[in-house]
Amino acid sequence: MKPIKNILAISGRQGLFNLITQTRTGILVESLNDMKRFTISAQQQVHALDEIAIYCKEGEKPIKDLYEKIGKSLNGEKSVSHKANNPKILAAFTNHVPDFDEDRVYISDMKKFFNWYNMLCGYGFFLVEKDDEKEIDLDIKDKGSAS
């Protein structure tokens, strides 16, 4: 799995962006869609996916952890579309995040959650790499020998 540490969502712009570097007047980003680079001024609202969390009954869960969990359970495949009907989105979200706070997480949040997840899947962020497979095999062997 690729880290989502430098992946940004920018208000007023569609898609997700990779942080390249900081400039005097803002930041330099690269679109994950078309790989075009441009600067974002310091006045624009920029949100790092690494810092976003979902409200749950026991507190907040980082979106990064939820995406990694979903990515492993779906083997890097896309989930429900953000354009699906509301009951289908709610069922899928409840399946992946069963303890979310119904009072503070809206259907629009769920749609954005799945839209971003599916975008990241399309960019290959949740594909299991060979190094990850070796670690999984080692963990299985260690657990097997401990029993």
Side-chain angles (χ1 to χ4, degrees), residues 26-108:
I27 56 174
L28 179 65
V29 298
E30 181 178 63
S31 171
L32 292 178
N33 277 342
D34 55 12
M35 307 308 263
K36 290 185 180 178
R37 291 184 177 193
F38 51 92
T39 58
I40 299 295
S41 71
Q43 285 78 29
Q44 286 186 281
Q45 289 186 356
V46 177
H47 307 282
L49 291 190
D50 199 32
E51 298 173 356
I52 297 174
I54 296 289
Y55 292 115
C56 294
K57 294 174 183 168
E58 293 88 32
E60 297 177 358
K61 286 189 179 177
I63 202 169
K64 178 184 94 166
D65 297 344
L66 296 172
Y67 281 164
E68 288 174 358
K69 178 181 160 193
I70 294 171
K72 286 179 183 174
S73 69
L74 296 177
N75 295 321
E77 296 294 320
K78 292 185 177 185
S79 185
V80 65
S81 171
H82 67 285
K83 294 181 180 181
N85 58 16
N86 291 351
K88 195 171 186 179
I89 290 174
L90 181 62
F93 193 79
T94 304
N95 183 33
H96 295 300
V97 189
D99 61 338
F100 76 96
D101 188 347
E102 293 94 1
D103 296 331
R104 300 197 296 179
V105 178
Y106 301 105
I107 198 74
S108 60

Side-chain angles (χ1 to χ4, degrees), residues 120-140:
L120 290 171
C121 283
Y123 305 136
F125 273 81
F126 301 109
L127 295 176
V128 177
E129 298 172 4
K130 294 191 186 274
D131 292 339
D132 291 342
E133 288 178 0
K134 289 178 185 175
E135 288 178 20
I136 292 169
D137 289 342
L138 290 174
D139 288 344
I140 292 170

